[in-house]
Structures are given as structure tokens and as C-alpha cells.
Amino acid sequence: MQKLETQLGTRLFLRTTRSTTLTREGELFYRNCHPGVERIVQALEDMRDLREGPPRGQLRISATVGFGRRIVAPLLNGFRARYPDIAVDLLLDDRTTDFSADRVDVAFRNGRMEDSQVIARQLIPMPLLVCSSPAYRRAHGLPRQVEDLAAHRCINLRTASGRIFEWEFKIGARIQKFLPSSTSTFNDEELVLQAVLDGQGIAQMAGYQISGHLRAGRLMACLAQYAPDDRGHYLCYLSRQQLPARIRVFIDFMTAGIRALDLGLVSTLSLPADKASPIAAVSMA
């Protein structure tokens, strides 16, 4: 207090051996400071409630367009019913999330995680399978080896960056990428899927897109013995420390909900009896 009085250049307290009381200047200083101190105390209590109290507040989520629309958005109904005090803001964007610039709390990412700046929890594997419709198979057959793709009508996906997505296969112990010649290219995963369902050609797609169609017989998978096994769907956030309750319950809810959807598929497919033949280099361009 003596240091504060020195900084202010005035006496705030009248001190005796028996009591301490405010001066007139001290009373004025207290009245001016009191609202600010109350706001600071309230802010500290609010932060403690967000950390330890019932889950509430604003939750900003980012996901890729396809996965967000097909998987994340349907699960949000159950999440909101369980946690009505949490307001959800879902952003669908195929570009990599910038947590700071976009003010995102949690992001869903697909593929391989190479960003060491975020915490990434793998929800499920992300199989990539080449699929066709039954009508296409009857008319054209299906490739049995990767090099057979050159003789088929392939449908490609253009990514958010503008490049064509390269098909991936695990040949031996290595992941190899191929860019097939295409009859059609789309910059939307749903359009690629619809073209395959319509019998226009074959495409390599993620398990979450095709699981229901495979089980219903609307699609057929091939080259499953070459499906890459190093991709996944991840739930990402910036830190494990001091997570607000709204983020903790969202992570737990989505992890359980997505894992219950059984989107893995590769283990349920019957693979051809013939083994993979060595493929040193295949040009599909």
C-alpha cells in the first residue's frame, strides 16, 4: 500500500496503532477501482466454471466438406440434445485449418498427420478403396492388378488446392501414388461418388463415403489387397492442458460416436485369392 501511495502521490489510509481508515482520497480511489476489481473477480470465476463447471459456451468446429457433411453434422443433433448449453459453429472447408486465424476449438482432419503443432487423436482408419457400380462391372469388368487401371474409365477428384488427387496403393511395404487418365474430373467428392453410382467409371474413395453403398450392394470394391493402411480420420486441437469442459465433452462424444459407425470396411472385404504381383513402376498419366 505504501508503494501505491507513493505512485499516486497521495495518502490513501489514515493509520494509527489501533485502526486503519480510508482518507477522502482513499475513498474516491476505492469507488473508482471497485467495479473493475469486481469484473476481474467475475472473469476469473467464469473461467473456472468453463473449466470445471457444466459444459457451456461457444464451440467452433472445422471439418472437411465431405466428412463434415456426411459424418460430423448428423452426430451434432445428439450432441446438442445432451449439451443444450453449448452453441455449435461448424465450418466446412477442405483447406487445412488455421486454429488461430479461424478461432477454431476442434478440427477434423483426414489423411496423414504431419503437423506437430497440434494434438491429433485418431478416430478411425481411413481406407481408400477403388469402387465401381454393378452395372459398370457387368459392362467392363474390374481391375485385378494396379496396372489394369490403364484400361478402365477412371474418375478423378480435384482437391481444394487445385491439384488432382493421386490414387494410392500399398505395394509390398511401400505406398505408391498413381495418377490415372480420367474420363471425368470433379472438385466435389459427392459428384465423384454419384458418377460411380451411375456407372460412369471407377474411382478411389474413402471408406466413410462408400460404406453404406458397399453393404447395400450399390457399389463393389476392387484392388482391396492394395488398399493403403497409413491414413486416418483425426480429431485435432491445440493443447491437452486446461481444456474447457465444452471441448472435453465434444471430443469424448465424437470419438465414441464416430467409432460406433463401423466405417473401417477393409477387414470385412473378401480379398481375391491371387496375391499382389510386383509392380516396380506403372505410368497412368
Side-chain angles (χ1 to χ4, degrees):
M1 283 299 171
Q2 289 177 345
K3 185 176 180 180
L4 179 60
E5 287 178 327
T6 300
Q7 289 177 333
L8 295 174
T10 188
R11 178 174 290 183
L12 300 176
F13 293 91
L14 292 173
R15 303 175 182 87
T16 69
T17 56
R18 295 186 177 183
S19 66
T20 300
T21 59
L22 288 169
T23 65
R24 292 182 181 276
E25 291 80 3
E27 290 176 351
L28 176 62
F29 186 75
Y30 173 77
R31 287 197 299 270
N32 289 336
C33 290
H34 185 65
V37 173
E38 283 191 329
R39 285 196 292 270
I40 292 173
V41 171
Q42 184 62 51
L44 292 172
E45 291 178 353
D46 289 346
M47 292 301 100
R48 189 178 298 110
D49 286 344
L50 287 177
R51 167 69 181 162
E52 301 173 359
R56 62 185 178 86
Q58 183 82 16
L59 186 63
R60 195 169 176 87
I61 307 156
S62 172
T64 56
V65 176
F67 192 78
R69 182 178 292 140
R70 186 178 289 268
I71 304 300
V72 177
L75 289 173
L76 289 179
N77 292 332
F79 178 77
R80 289 282 297 115
R82 184 176 299 183
Y83 302 104
D85 293 330
I86 298 179
V88 175
D89 184 0
L90 176 60
L91 308 175
L92 299 184
D93 197 329
D94 287 329
R95 296 173 297 177
T96 301
T97 303
D98 186 327
F99 282 87
S100 298
D102 298 331
R103 302 181 65 83
V104 167
D105 297 303
V106 179
F108 293 88
R109 292 184 179 177
N110 305 326
R112 301 181 183 92
M113 279 305 302
E114 299 174 351
D115 188 349
S116 61
Q117 303 301 310
V118 301
I119 307 301
R121 175 187 292 189
Q122 182 170 329
L123 300 171
I124 53 173
M126 181 183 173
L128 292 175
L129 295 172
V130 178
C131 292
S132 83
S133 68
Y136 180 92
R137 180 185 182 181
R138 289 191 296 270
H140 305 283
L142 292 179
R144 295 178 63 84
Q145 304 296 329
V146 176
E147 59 264 38
D148 296 341
L149 288 171
H152 284 269
R153 300 177 181 178
C154 297
I155 300 171
N156 281 334
L157 172 69
R158 187 179 300 278
T159 66
S161 67
R163 68 177 182 85
I164 304 298
F165 178 78
E166 294 177 294
W167 298 21
E168 296 186 2
F169 301 95
K170 187 174 183 180
I171 299 172
R174 296 178 55 197
I175 298 294
Q176 296 191 23
K177 296 184 178 183
F178 303 95
L179 186 59
S181 297
S182 65
T183 56
S184 300
T185 300
F186 302 97
N187 69 342
D188 181 85
E189 293 177 345
E190 291 298 316
L191 294 179
V192 172
L193 172 61
Q194 191 58 54
V196 175
L197 288 169
D198 292 341
Q200 296 180 26
I202 62 176
Q204 188 178 59
M205 294 175 285
Y208 77 88
Q209 293 178 272
I210 58 178
S211 57
H213 297 295
L214 286 172
R215 293 190 182 97
R218 292 186 292 270
L219 290 179
M220 312 184 74
C222 59
L223 301 177
Q225 70 272 32
Y226 301 118
D229 57 5
D230 65 338
R231 286 176 165 266
H233 296 286
Y234 296 88
L235 196 154
C236 304
Y237 46 99
L238 286 180
S239 174
R240 289 190 177 93
Q241 303 300 318
Q242 300 174 334
L243 279 178
R246 69 183 187 280
I247 297 180
R248 295 201 311 272
V249 297
F250 180 78
I251 291 171
D252 292 342
F253 182 92
M254 283 294 174
T255 299
I258 291 174
R259 288 177 178 173
L261 294 177
D262 188 23
L263 302 174
L265 287 179
V266 170
S267 60
T268 66
L269 293 172
S270 57
L271 302 183
D274 56 319
K275 300 297 182 181
S277 60
I279 304 175
V282 179
S283 174
M284 297 291 176

